[in-house]
Amino acid sequence: GAVVSQHPSWVICKSGTSVKIECRSLDFQATTMFWYRQFPKQSLMLMATSNEGSKATYEQGVEKDKFLINHASLTLSTLTVTSAHPEDSSFYICSATRTGGMNTEAFFGQGTRLTVV
Amino acid sequence: GIQVEQSPPDLILQEGANSTLRCNFSDSVNNLQWFHQNPWGQLINLFYIPSGTKQNGRLSATTVATERYSLLYISSSQTTDSGVYFCAVTPGGSYIPTFGRGTSLIVHP
């Protein structure tokens, strides 16, 4: 299967600082990447859809100014949590599909556990 | 949007037992995947199965798209099978996967 690498795996930051999370497709080009957030013992909630070369599409209720997404190349998308606060602490996971169209399989990164203190 | 329901929500097994996990969805889908989330949070792809039946070792899956459900079979369960199993579907006309709430499986030695 395809490999999606997410970095860092975990990060602890002080309240008010910004944190950048990277998601890379290592052996395929990903026109579309997805960013999810997962709270303990809950399912994955889609935050935004990241399209290469264009603005991300955010789900309802997700603050686009707080969660900045950049998809500058076909193999890299980044999520920046700006001015992080303790309530932003969560598990963030990215996924990528090979072509971004329908009938494609999604592959997931390892996830990033963010703790804001 | 599409609704995805997984059952049971929790499952406790003795090592060696078999189990069946179910995923119901409310609309036609282009894609359906089963994942295993391990204790470290990593999502492992198990099956990409929009229709039909597939097998991989002790695991197999069947999707009956016309009846809008999929089943994941785990045979001879092992402690390493513990974790949360998610079903994710991509509805027709969309390319965005929607996840069910998952089935939390604990396998005791």
Side-chain angles (χ1 to χ4, degrees):
Chain A
V3 179
V4 175
S5 178
Q6 190 172 336
H7 177 82
S9 298
W10 60 271
V11 58
I12 302 173
C13 71
K14 290 186 177 180
S15 188
T17 61
S18 295
V19 173
K20 180 184 283 189
I21 302 170
E22 292 187 348
C23 180
R24 294 181 184 272
S25 55
L26 297 186
D27 52 359
F28 67 100
Q29 294 186 330
T31 308
T32 303
M33 291 185 175
F34 303 99
W35 287 96
Y36 293 85
R37 183 173 181 175
Q38 186 180 30
F39 292 103
K41 299 190 184 301
Q42 294 191 22
S43 187
L44 281 73
M45 290 176 42
L46 181 66
M47 297 175 65
T49 302
S50 171
N51 297 298
E52 186 266 338
S54 64
K55 291 184 179 180
T57 303
Y58 290 83
E59 295 299 298
Q60 192 173 5
V62 177
E63 299 176 59
K64 59 183 179 182
D65 294 331
K66 165 166 274 298
F67 299 101
L68 299 179
I69 292 172
N70 184 276
H71 194 154
S73 77
L74 285 171
T75 59
L76 174 64
S77 176
T78 60
L79 167 67
T80 302
V81 183
T82 62
S83 187
H85 290 284
E87 58 265 28
D88 299 324
S89 298
S90 190
F91 191 61
Y92 294 88
I93 312 175
C94 72
S95 77
T97 57
R98 291 179 189 271
T99 65
M102 293 182 288
N103 298 326
T104 57
E105 185 174 358
F107 297 90
F108 283 79
Q110 302 94 318
T112 297
R113 194 166 302 282
L114 170 64
T115 302
V116 185
V117 297
Chain B
I2 192 168
Q3 304 298 312
V4 183
E5 294 183 2
Q6 290 187 243
S7 60
D10 301 282
L11 188 57
I12 300 175
L13 300 175
Q14 205 67 32
E15 200 168 28
N18 303 328
S19 61
T20 301
L21 282 57
R22 187 178 181 100
C23 174
N24 291 335
F25 41 95
S26 61
D27 206 345
S28 61
V29 298
N30 287 328
N31 302 330
L32 188 146
Q33 290 183 249
W34 282 97
F35 298 92
H36 174 215
Q37 187 169 38
N38 65 22
W40 297 272
Q42 171 84 58
L43 278 164
I44 309 298
N45 288 42
L46 297 178
F47 293 102
Y48 172 70
I49 186 167
S51 63
T53 298
K54 290 186 178 179
Q55 180 159 4
N56 184 3
R58 295 182 297 104
L59 303 181
S60 63
T62 295
T63 297
V64 184
T66 53
E67 297 186 21
R68 299 180 183 171
Y69 74 89
S70 182
L71 302 174
L72 176 69
Y73 305 96
I74 304 175
S75 65
S76 303
S77 58
Q78 301 176 359
T79 56
T80 51
D81 295 332
S82 296
V84 182
Y85 290 80
F86 287 106
C87 165
V89 303
T90 304
S94 170
Y95 58 91
I96 301 174
T98 299
F99 279 77
R101 291 179 175 271
T103 292
S104 176
L105 172 64
I106 298 174
V107 181
H108 288 304

